[in-house]
Amino acid sequence: MYESRPEATSAYWMPFTANRDFKANPRLMVSAHGMYYTDVDGNQVLDGTAGLWCVPLGHAQPKLVKAVQDMIGQLDFAPSFQMAHPAAFLLAERLMTYTNHKFGQVFYTNSGSEAVDTALKMALAYHRVRGDAARTRLIGRERGYHGVGFGGISVGGIANNRKTFGSMLPGVDHLPHTHNLEHNAYTRGEPAWGAHLADELERIVTLHDASTIAAVIVEPVAGSTGVLIPPKNYLKRLREICTKHGILLIFDEVITGFGRLTTPFAFDYFDVEPDMVTVAKGLTNGVVPMGAVFSKAFIHDAFMHGPDGIELFHGYTYSGHPLACAAALASLEIFEEQNVLEHARGMADYWADAVHSLKGLPHVIDLRSIGLIAGIELAPIPGKPGARAFNAFRRAFADGILIRTTGDIIALSPPLVLEKTHIDELFGKLANILKTLD
Ligand SMILES: Cc1ncc(COP(=O)(O)O)c(C=O)c1O
């Protein structure tokens, strides 16, 4: 059990956490069921963030629990190189069906970060196997989050995640982000302003020449930077420019995949087809770590013409781990059996109404919503960026709701199985916190 004595807590170096602050004031979850966590003191905490955006089906779905239990008793591990197991193939087939066969192959990883680095490597290797080896540049976007591998932080655009880690990958450039409160504050769904920012890609292409650019990677909705929703037609424009110049377009759907926008993927919602998609999180409902890259068949097929032997020198010991495959298969079945996306669509307007009902409350300078996502931007305390939202986070936990903050933005992304009463509870408590926050 947790003891706050420094000698009892120092061994765990916690990720993306204010370690000293946390260890003095811990927040510990001990169980989870449906829409609620239970903390170490027995308090119920409403999950307003689906864990870390990764539990779309809610916690402890019986079918998922059983699928993982069954698999561990049957096949705890199978080597992933030059060997496989049936569930890995079955899942791949089901996933490709879930994309409506817009993609041909799936490559398994263990996290979103690994999926991103895999997709970037595939893009470079794809051009090379086709004899286009000069295409080595990768284009990301300011404020983008693509995990924490060296590839991901290189194309990512969050300064704190980059500045202490050296010079990263060479040959990377960044599109501008699309956040501009003067033009797109308080938008419900896609902002009307900002599609022209996609044309910055033409400027980058002119600067470097298309013949040197391998791929562009963006989050369709940027999550970790604080919920930036793409302007209308922005993603379509990016697609057109990439196609025109032979550049691969990668959508990082680690948070938007598996229903976050009430469609299976964001590429469905925005009706734009990228060449590769990275997913993780909701793929297994967060139950067993797993990520994946979906690739168009033409990318995969380009590798299948060379000499006999291994076509892509890349993979992970735990690629397609049996427990992860079992969890992902059960998740897909639950999505279908429980009509989860239909339910989420039924909640989306009520959700957006609740988000925008916060307009006018103290400190609120923007509200944005799409699908079952909300971004609530607060004015910072002068000289203390991030402190106001973090105070809200602490207050929220004490009041029994789990929210997430990044800088002074509160990001909400509940399990898709929530009911209106949960929306009332979440926003009722949040409104009270905002009214009394320093
Ligand atoms: C868009 C995006 N890409 C990649 C990642 C990294 O995923 P992981 O933490 O599983 O490595 C995240 C995590 O939040 C993400 O939001």
Side-chain angles (χ1 to χ4, degrees):
M1 212 22 86
Y2 186 86
E3 295 176 68
S4 60
R5 292 176 296 116
E7 58 278 23
T9 59
S10 75
Y12 178 24
W13 190 345
M14 299 173 67
F16 276 121
T17 296
N19 275 253
R20 290 160 296 176
D21 175 82
F22 182 97
K23 288 169 186 180
N25 307 284
R27 292 169 292 275
L28 298 174
M29 306 303 200
V30 293
S31 66
H33 203 273
M35 286 294 301
Y36 290 89
Y37 282 101
T38 304
D39 78 4
V40 73
D41 298 318
N43 301 313
Q44 295 280 100
V45 182
L46 175 62
D47 187 355
T49 58
L52 276 178
W53 304 81
C54 57
V55 188
L57 304 173
H59 299 273
Q61 280 273 357
K63 181 170 191 153
L64 240 165
V65 173
K66 182 162 186 328
V68 175
Q69 284 171 341
D70 286 353
M71 185 58 95
I72 198 168
Q74 184 191 323
L75 181 67
D76 52 0
F77 179 77
S80 48
F81 305 164
Q82 307 287 15
M83 295 287 293
H85 60 95
F89 285 94
L90 183 60
L91 175 62
E93 216 182 334
R94 296 254 168 98
L95 285 171
M96 294 302 88
T97 304
Y98 201 55
T99 72
N100 259 324
H101 299 286
K102 288 179 176 157
F103 296 86
Q105 281 73 32
V106 53
F107 193 101
Y108 297 123
T109 70
N110 309 293
S111 66
S113 300
E114 289 177 358
V116 165
D117 280 18
T118 298
L120 298 176
K121 287 174 76 177
M122 277 180 178
L124 295 172
Y126 162 77
H127 290 296
R128 190 181 155 107
V129 294
R130 289 167 52 254
D132 210 354
R135 286 192 184 261
T136 56
R137 289 185 196 280
L138 301 166
I139 312 298
R141 189 169 55 187
E142 294 166 356
R143 295 189 65 159
Y145 184 68
H146 300 291
V148 292
F150 273 106
I153 60 169
S154 301
V155 293
I158 297 181
N160 279 340
N161 296 352
R162 295 161 50 90
K163 67 185 180 197
T164 48
F165 303 113
S167 48
M168 296 172 278
L169 288 186
V172 172
D173 210 338
H174 290 79
L175 287 159
H177 65 74
T178 61
H179 192 40
N180 185 324
L181 286 186
E182 199 185 317
H183 293 288
N184 55 19
Y186 295 103
T187 42
R188 195 170 160 140
E190 298 155 85
W193 178 92
H196 65 281
L197 294 169
D199 292 332
E200 286 292 304
L201 183 54
E202 286 284 15
R203 179 187 59 76
I204 290 172
V205 169
T206 305
L207 178 66
H208 299 296
D209 198 77
S211 65
T212 71
I213 302 176
V216 169
I217 181 166
V218 291
E219 302 160 87
V221 175
S224 295
T225 190
V227 183
L228 303 184
I229 300 166
K232 274 199 183 78
N233 292 321
Y234 171 90
L235 294 171
K236 281 201 160 79
R237 189 81 193 104
L238 277 190
R239 172 71 278 180
E240 284 162 12
I241 299 170
C242 285
T243 304
K244 177 172 149 199
H245 295 294
I247 299 167
L248 295 177
L249 178 62
I250 306 168
F251 274 6
D252 184 348
E253 295 229 26
V254 166
I255 61 156
T256 51
F258 302 95
R260 183 51 53 201
L261 302 184
T262 73
T263 51
F265 299 98
F267 64 75
D268 297 307
Y269 189 96
F270 296 115
D271 192 23
V272 175
E273 265 182 53
D275 302 303
M276 280 190 267
V277 178
T278 53
V279 295
K281 300 196 187 258
L283 170 58
T284 60
N285 206 41
V287 165
V288 182
M290 185 181 223
V293 179
F294 303 160
S295 84
K296 289 277 186 190
F298 75 84
I299 295 175
H300 163 267
D301 294 351
F303 290 88
M304 300 299 142
H305 302 297
D308 284 348
I310 294 170
E311 295 94 356
L312 180 67
F313 284 83
H314 180 75
Y316 303 93
T317 298
Y318 303 115
S319 285
H321 191 285
L323 295 193
C325 290
L329 282 165
S331 292
L332 285 176
E333 283 168 22
I334 294 167
F335 265 103
E336 202 171 306
E337 287 163 9
Q338 298 184 10
N339 292 320
V340 172
L341 295 185
E342 210 176 296
H343 176 79
R345 278 193 282 278
M347 289 293 133
D349 277 344
Y350 197 81
W351 172 262
D353 288 345
V355 175
H356 291 278
S357 74
L358 302 179
K359 192 166 182 180
L361 289 185
H363 317 301
V364 174
I365 58 170
D366 189 24
L367 298 160
R368 24 193 199 266
S369 63
I370 190 166
L372 289 181
I373 305 179
I376 300 158
E377 186 155 351
L378 306 181
I381 298 172
K384 292 187 185 171
R388 178 165 278 142
F390 196 64
N391 287 342
F393 165 74
R394 277 198 255 234
R395 285 272 306 279
F397 185 74
D399 288 359
I401 55 172
L402 180 62
I403 65 174
R404 195 163 156 63
T405 64
T406 171
D408 276 296
I409 302 166
I410 298 170
L412 300 175
S413 57
L416 309 179
V417 295
L418 87 173
E419 300 291 347
K420 288 181 179 170
T421 50
H422 301 121
I423 298 177
D424 295 344
E425 182 181 345
L426 185 59
F427 286 94
K429 288 184 174 175
L430 197 52
N432 282 335
I433 291 166
L434 290 171
K435 281 177 199 160
T436 53
L437 197 63
D438 285 339

Coordinates of all heavy atoms in Angstrom, one line a residue, residues 111-113 116 145-147 219 224 252 254-255 281, ligand 1:
S111 N 2.5 0.5 -28.5 CA 2.1 1.8 -28.0 C 1.9 2.8 -29.2 O 2.3 2.4 -30.3 CB 3.2 2.4 -27.1 OG 4.4 2.7 -27.9
G112 N 1.3 3.9 -28.9 CA 1.2 4.9 -29.9 C 2.6 5.4 -30.4 O 2.8 5.7 -31.6
S113 N 3.5 5.6 -29.4 CA 4.8 6.1 -29.8 C 5.5 5.2 -30.8 O 6.1 5.6 -31.8 CB 5.7 6.3 -28.6 OG 5.1 7.2 -27.6
V116 N 3.9 5.4 -34.2 CA 4.4 6.6 -35.0 C 5.7 6.4 -35.5 O 6.0 6.6 -36.7 CB 4.4 7.9 -34.0 CG1 5.2 9.0 -34.7 CG2 2.9 8.3 -33.7
Y145 N 1.4 16.2 -31.1 CA 1.9 15.2 -30.2 C 1.9 13.9 -30.9 O 0.8 13.4 -31.3 CB 1.1 15.2 -28.9 CG 1.7 14.2 -27.9 CD1 2.9 14.5 -27.3 CD2 1.1 13.0 -27.6 CE1 3.5 13.6 -26.4 CE2 1.6 12.1 -26.7 CZ 2.9 12.4 -26.1 OH 3.4 11.6 -25.2
H146 N 3.1 13.3 -31.0 CA 3.1 12.0 -31.6 C 3.9 11.0 -30.8 O 4.7 10.2 -31.3 CB 3.8 12.1 -33.0 CG 3.0 13.0 -33.9 ND1 1.8 12.7 -34.4 CD2 3.2 14.2 -34.4 CE1 1.3 13.6 -35.2 NE2 2.2 14.6 -35.2
G147 N 3.7 11.1 -29.4 CA 4.4 10.2 -28.5 C 5.8 10.7 -28.2 O 6.2 11.8 -28.6
E219 N -2.1 14.9 -36.4 CA -3.3 14.3 -35.7 C -4.5 15.0 -36.3 O -4.5 16.2 -36.4 CB -3.2 14.8 -34.2 CG -2.0 14.4 -33.4 CD -1.9 15.2 -32.2 OE1 -2.5 14.9 -31.1 OE2 -1.2 16.3 -32.2
S224 N -3.3 16.1 -27.3 CA -2.5 16.4 -26.1 C -2.1 17.8 -25.9 O -1.8 18.3 -24.8 CB -1.2 15.5 -26.1 OG -1.6 14.1 -26.1
D252 N -2.2 10.5 -37.4 CA -2.0 9.9 -36.1 C -3.3 9.8 -35.4 O -3.8 10.9 -34.8 CB -0.9 10.7 -35.3 CG -0.6 10.0 -34.0 OD1 -1.3 9.1 -33.6 OD2 0.4 10.5 -33.4
V254 N -4.1 8.0 -32.7 CA -4.0 7.3 -31.4 C -5.1 7.7 -30.5 O -5.6 6.9 -29.7 CB -2.6 7.6 -30.8 CG1 -2.5 7.2 -29.4 CG2 -1.5 6.8 -31.7
I255 N -5.5 9.0 -30.5 CA -6.7 9.3 -29.7 C -8.0 9.3 -30.4 O -9.1 9.1 -29.8 CB -6.5 10.6 -28.9 CG1 -6.4 11.8 -29.9 CG2 -5.4 10.6 -27.9 CD1 -6.8 13.1 -29.2
K281 N -4.2 3.0 -27.8 CA -5.2 3.3 -26.8 C -6.5 2.5 -27.0 O -6.6 1.4 -26.5 CB -5.5 4.8 -26.9 CG -4.2 5.6 -26.5 CD -4.5 7.0 -26.2 CE -3.3 7.9 -26.0 NZ -2.9 8.2 -24.7
Ligands
LIG1 C1 -1.8 11.5 -31.1 C2 -0.9 10.6 -30.2 N1 0.1 9.9 -30.8 C3 0.9 9.2 -30.1 C4 0.7 9.0 -28.7 C5 1.6 8.2 -27.9 O1 1.0 7.0 -27.5 P1 1.7 6.2 -26.3 O2 1.6 7.0 -25.0 O3 0.8 5.0 -26.3 O4 3.1 5.9 -26.7 C6 -0.4 9.7 -28.1 C7 -0.6 9.6 -26.6 O5 -1.3 10.3 -26.0 C8 -1.2 10.6 -28.9 O6 -2.2 11.3 -28.3

